[in-house]
Every structure is written in structure tokens, then in C-alpha cells.
């Protein structure tokens, strides 16, 4: 969502990347807080693409169901704990998903031949998102002692575990799908 990304961008520019990671969610303007809440609720809606895959009798890969279930759990955890650095995750995810779901829409209305080359870029964006996510967690981890009142050790552990596992899975998917040459028989 543009509102969330604009808020993150403005805070990075005005306060710097480090301070932008520690802005308490209770201080977010109403419209930003509303979009963060909607982001969290959207994780249930995103399970809908899993339903469509099952209805179409498509094979669900481990990456798909693992990603959807753990993102859902982490987003609710982060919202309940009011974890500040996760707004950056939401901004990245809104951006990547806006492109990804537009691609899915186009492929489902018969425009696959027009957008087929975008699949590679979407997976590359997803891998990049995971690298940036681990970077955000790492920066937050190294500066957390300046903000002891936020008690971020547990959320940082789960965030890093989540992003690192996603990185391994998305990078593996990327290599398998786009870099390995098909075997000739």
C-alpha cells in the first residue's frame, strides 16, 4: 500500500534507517495503523490462492503452504506485540504482492503470453525481499540495546528464523525454476 510505504520512506529519510526501525506502532497516524491492521487481516485472504490451487487440483509445494501459514502466524504475533520494525516488512510485502497478484490476475484472464516473462522478476523480487528482511532484522538486532523498553529479542529471533527459512526456500525455488537446465533424455 502506498500509504505504508510512504510512511516508511518518509521516516527513513527524516530519521535514518536505524531510528525508523524503532518507531512504536502506537504512534503511527490513523491511516497507517489502519493499513497495517488490514495487512494483517489480508493474510487470511491470501489463503484464498491456496484454495484456488486445491480446487484446480494443482500440487501445493512446501514453500507455498509453509510461507502462508508462518506469515499469518508472525503477522498476528507482531500486531499483538506491537513490534515496530515489522512495518518495513509490511511495506515490502505490499509492494511485491501488488506485482505478484496483478501477474496472477493477468494469467487467469488469458494474458499469460503477455506477462509470462514477469514470473522470473517476481521470484527475484521475493528473494530480494527475504535478503532485505534479514538485513532489517540484523540492523534492528545490533541497535536493540538503545531501546531496551521494547524488549525485541524474541520478535527478532522469530523474524530472523522466518526470513532466513524463506530465503532458503525462495532461493532454492529460483535456482530450480530458472537456473537449472532441464535434463535431456
Amino acid at each position: 500500500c502506498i500509504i505504508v510505504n510512504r510512511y516508511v520512506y518518509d521516516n527513513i529519510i527524516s530519521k535514518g534507517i536505524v531510528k525508523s526501525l524503532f518507531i512504536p506502532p502506537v504512534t503511527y497516524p490513523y491511516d497507517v495503523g489502519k493499513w497495517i491492521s488490514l495487512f494483517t487481516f489480508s493474510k487470511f485472504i491470501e489463503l484464498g490462492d491456496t484454495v484456488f490451487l486445491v480446487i484446480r487440483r494443482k500440487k501445493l509445494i512446501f514453500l507455498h503452504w509453509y510461507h502462508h501459514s508462518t506469515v499469518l502466524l508472525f503477522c498476528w504475533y507482531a500486531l499483538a506485540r506491537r513490534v515496530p520494525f515489522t512495518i518495513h516488512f509490511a511495506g515490502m510485502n505490499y509492494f511485491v504482492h501488488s506485482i505478484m497478484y496483478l501477474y496472477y490476475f493477468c494469467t487467469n484472464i488469458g494474458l499469460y503470453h503477455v506477462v509470462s516473462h514477469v514470473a522470473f522478476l517476481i521470484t527475484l523480487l521475493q528473494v530480494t525481499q527475504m535478503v532485505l528482511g534479514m538485513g532489517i532484522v540484523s540492523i534492528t538486532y545490533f541497535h536493540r540495546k538503545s531501546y531496551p523498553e521494547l524488549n525485541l529479542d524474541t520478535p527478532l529471533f522469530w523474524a530472523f528464523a522466518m526470513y532466513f527459512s524463506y530465503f532458503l526456500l525462495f532461493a532454492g525455488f529460483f535456482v530450480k525454476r530458472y537456473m537449472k537446465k532441464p535434463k535431456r533424455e
Side-chain angles (χ1 to χ4, degrees):
C1 173
I2 294 169
I3 293 170
V4 171
N5 281 316
R6 181 61 193 222
Y7 181 77
V8 170
Y9 172 80
D10 287 348
N11 280 297
I12 289 171
I13 296 303
S14 66
K15 296 173 176 51
I17 184 71
V18 173
K19 287 185 180 175
S20 76
L21 294 168
F22 293 95
I23 297 170
V26 295
T27 65
Y28 295 166
Y30 172 76
D31 57 343
V32 173
K34 176 179 72 174
W35 282 105
I36 291 298
S37 296
L38 287 172
F39 171 80
T40 304
F41 281 102
S42 77
K43 299 305 159 195
F44 284 111
I45 296 167
E46 287 176 14
L47 293 174
D49 70 3
T50 304
V51 172
F52 286 121
L53 289 172
V54 170
I55 289 171
R56 292 173 143 182
R57 300 186 195 282
K58 301 276 185 177
K59 182 182 177 195
L60 285 179
I61 61 174
F62 176 76
L63 167 62
H64 182 91
W65 66 262
Y66 172 78
H67 174 70
H68 278 289
S69 59
T70 54
V71 164
L72 178 92
L73 292 171
F74 184 79
C75 286
W76 281 96
Y77 168 76
L79 183 67
R81 286 279 318 265
R82 294 189 170 110
V83 180
F85 61 88
T86 57
I87 190 171
H88 293 67
F89 299 165
M92 289 189 302
N93 198 257
Y94 267 135
F95 175 74
V96 173
H97 279 197
S98 66
I99 296 166
M100 184 180 73
Y101 283 114
L102 178 61
Y103 165 80
Y104 287 155
F105 173 77
C106 290
T107 61
N108 283 309
I109 63 168
L111 297 175
Y112 178 76
H113 64 284
V114 176
V115 297
S116 61
H117 62 282
V118 177
F120 170 85
L121 295 173
I122 291 170
T123 308
L124 187 60
L125 273 174
Q126 290 169 319
V127 172
T128 303
Q129 178 184 353
M130 303 319 151
V131 170
L132 291 173
M134 288 186 298
I136 288 167
V137 173
S138 298
I139 292 168
T140 307
Y141 177 80
F142 288 113
H143 293 278
R144 76 192 188 290
K145 293 195 183 207
S146 299
Y147 303 88
E149 70 281 3
L150 296 176
N151 191 22
L152 294 176
D153 286 342
T154 302
L156 285 165
F157 171 81
W158 289 116
F160 191 81
M162 180 182 72
Y163 268 100
F164 184 68
S165 66
Y166 294 165
F167 170 74
L168 293 175
L169 292 167
F170 276 97
F173 179 81
F174 183 84
V175 167
K176 182 179 177 184
R177 179 113 188 239
Y178 301 110
M179 299 184 80
K180 283 193 174 179
K181 293 181 181 178
K183 292 181 181 179
R184 290 190 173 191
E185 295 185 31

